[in-house]
Amino acid sequence: MELRQIKYFIEVAKREHVTEAANALHVAQSAVSRQIFNLEAELGVELFIREGRNVRLTPMGRIFLDHMEQAMNVINNALQVVEEYMEPERGTIHIGYTSSMASYLLPTAISAFRVQYPNVKFELNQGAYHELIDWVHRGNINLALLAPLPKETKGMEGSVLFHERIVALLPRNHSLATASSIKLNQLRTDAFIFFPEGFMLRDITLKACQQHGFQPDIAFEGADMDAVKGMVSAGLGVALVPEITLVDNIPRSAVKVPIVDPSIMRTVGVLVSEERKLLPTEKLFHTFLHHFFRRLEQYQK
């Protein structure tokens, strides 16, 4: 089995089309077809079901793809380690993050990091909570910024960067918009704007409402933080959002109001694999994140 065969196989599996894979690889279609045929012959199993010009993975093909993607990630990491060994300050950081990190937290951290290491490059990958955990496990990325930080995940190691409050975002004409703080159950009759199922922020806010005696009326759902803010600003409902997402970015027709009963908090942290060492440049950034947020927390106090 050759490395070239694995690369061709992964590209065909991703595109489910031999011609498109060949074009992406900048090789002849016949070369791709021949290498896939040789790979199947060597393994003694069919990896694809042919359907005209299209192909799709067999059950064994899906299993093989999962292992080969992880193997290629290991190989690519090894090559990057060699490249970065002499100059870690010129490497590339592969990091994943959730939507609530996108507008302020991650850009602020990266900006501060590049003051010290201006030649470092970043490959940014936004994903859903459980998707990011899977990416770290598979080696697609080596670092993920998550909130809340998973308590126990096999083969993973997480460390808390800081704790943040969940606050209420209300339309400016809401009856509680001028309050200095509110109790959560004061919103029991309001229409809520929630994140979709699968988002941890939805679970946190839903649980808080239920523990305080009411089932929220979920009128709208949005997977994007800016979309949720926009719906609140348009007067379509109220939302519970991480306070950090409102730094320098509160919609014009909305207001932020702290919640004091209960005080809803979540951990924000960074997740890495216990089974793989961080690449040299990524290790620099991992250490920097902890120092950066420790200093920021001390400054805020």
Side-chain angles (χ1 to χ4, degrees), residues 80 84 87-93 119-122 281:
Q80 193 169 333
E84 294 179 7
E87 291 188 288
E89 297 178 8
R90 291 180 177 272
T92 300
I93 295 169
N119 297 312
V120 168
K121 301 178 182 64
F122 282 82
T281 309

Side-chain angles (χ1 to χ4, degrees), residues 176-203:
L176 297 172
T178 59
S180 59
S181 63
I182 62 172
K183 295 181 179 181
L184 181 57
N185 62 14
Q186 289 180 268
L187 301 176
R188 63 189 308 125
T189 60
D190 282 272
F192 275 79
I193 300 164
F194 263 52
F195 280 85
E197 291 186 7
F199 282 72
M200 291 303 294
L201 188 55
R202 178 193 180 99
D203 295 343

Side-chain angles (χ1 to χ4, degrees), residues 218-232:
I218 304 175
F220 298 93
E221 294 184 356
D224 180 78
M225 183 62 70
D226 287 335
V228 170
K229 293 178 186 178
M231 285 188 280
V232 173

Side-chain angles (χ1 to χ4, degrees), residues 98-105 146-148 162-169 193 195 199-202 204-205 224-226 228-229 239-251 256-259 264-268:
T98 57
S99 61
S100 64
M101 312 285 180
S103 61
Y104 179 78
L105 190 151
L146 294 172
F162 64 96
H163 296 80
E164 70 170 337
R165 292 192 303 173
I166 305 298
V167 299
L169 187 65
I193 300 164
F195 280 85
F199 282 72
M200 291 303 294
L201 188 55
R202 178 193 180 99
I204 291 172
T205 53
D224 180 78
M225 183 62 70
D226 287 335
V228 170
K229 293 178 186 178
L240 305 184
V241 300
E243 187 171 31
I244 203 164
T245 65
L246 301 175
V247 175
D248 299 328
N249 193 17
I250 300 178
K256 175 187 79 172
V257 181
I259 302 171
I264 308 172
M265 305 290 292
R266 71 170 186 173
T267 57
V268 177

Side-chain angles (χ1 to χ4, degrees), residues 8-9 11-34 36 48 50-56:
Y8 287 8
F9 163 72
E11 196 66 36
V12 173
K14 184 168 61 178
R15 298 177 183 275
E16 296 188 332
H17 200 286
V18 176
T19 302
E20 291 180 5
N23 291 338
L25 292 163
H26 305 292
V27 297
Q29 177 182 330
S30 58
V32 175
S33 298
R34 183 171 60 255
I36 295 297
F48 294 101
R50 276 74 177 175
E51 298 175 332
R53 295 185 178 182
N54 292 348
V55 297
R56 57 187 175 90

Side-chain angles (χ1 to χ4, degrees), residues 30-265:
S30 58
V32 175
S33 298
R34 183 171 60 255
Q35 292 300 329
I36 295 297
F37 176 80
N38 291 342
L39 179 60
E40 289 180 318
E42 181 179 346
L43 294 173
V45 296
E46 288 189 348
L47 299 172
F48 294 101
I49 299 171
R50 276 74 177 175
E51 298 175 332
R53 295 185 178 182
N54 292 348
V55 297
R56 57 187 175 90
L57 288 167
T58 63
M60 182 55 66
R62 285 193 293 272
I63 294 172
F64 188 68
L65 174 63
D66 181 63
H67 286 280
M68 289 303 98
E69 284 183 327
Q70 293 185 55
M72 286 303 301
N73 287 331
V74 171
I75 292 171
N76 290 334
N77 280 349
L79 293 174
Q80 193 169 333
V81 166
V82 173
E83 292 174 0
E84 294 179 7
Y85 181 76
M86 297 302 294
E87 291 188 288
E89 297 178 8
R90 291 180 177 272
T92 300
I93 295 169
H94 305 267
I95 187 167
Y97 59 96
T98 57
S99 61
S100 64
M101 312 285 180
S103 61
Y104 179 78
L105 190 151
L106 185 57
T108 301
I110 290 176
S111 178
F113 180 75
R114 280 176 63 85
V115 170
Q116 297 182 40
Y117 306 103
N119 297 312
V120 168
K121 301 178 182 64
F122 282 82
E123 183 177 302
L124 306 176
N125 302 271
Q126 183 172 321
Y129 185 84
H130 294 291
E131 189 175 32
L132 291 171
I133 295 173
D134 183 60
W135 288 350
V136 173
H137 171 70
R138 293 163 61 88
N140 295 354
I141 57 175
N142 292 325
L143 294 160
L145 286 177
L146 294 172
L149 194 66
K151 292 182 179 179
E152 290 185 14
T153 305
K154 186 177 179 181
M156 307 283 181
E157 180 181 355
S159 50
V160 175
L161 296 174
F162 64 96
H163 296 80
E164 70 170 337
R165 292 192 303 173
I166 305 298
V167 299
L169 187 65
L170 311 178
R172 187 169 292 278
N173 61 1
H174 193 281
S175 61
L176 297 172
T178 59
S180 59
S181 63
I182 62 172
K183 295 181 179 181
L184 181 57
N185 62 14
Q186 289 180 268
L187 301 176
R188 63 189 308 125
T189 60
D190 282 272
F192 275 79
I193 300 164
F194 263 52
F195 280 85
E197 291 186 7
F199 282 72
M200 291 303 294
L201 188 55
R202 178 193 180 99
D203 295 343
I204 291 172
T205 53
L206 183 60
K207 183 178 180 180
C209 292
Q210 291 171 339
Q211 288 181 339
H212 282 72
F214 70 98
Q215 186 71 23
D217 173 19
I218 304 175
F220 298 93
E221 294 184 356
D224 180 78
M225 183 62 70
D226 287 335
V228 170
K229 293 178 186 178
M231 285 188 280
V232 173
S233 185
L236 298 176
V238 303
L240 305 184
V241 300
E243 187 171 31
I244 203 164
T245 65
L246 301 175
V247 175
D248 299 328
N249 193 17
I250 300 178
R252 181 178 302 176
S253 298
V255 296
K256 175 187 79 172
V257 181
I259 302 171
V260 295
D261 184 15
S263 176
I264 308 172
M265 305 290 292

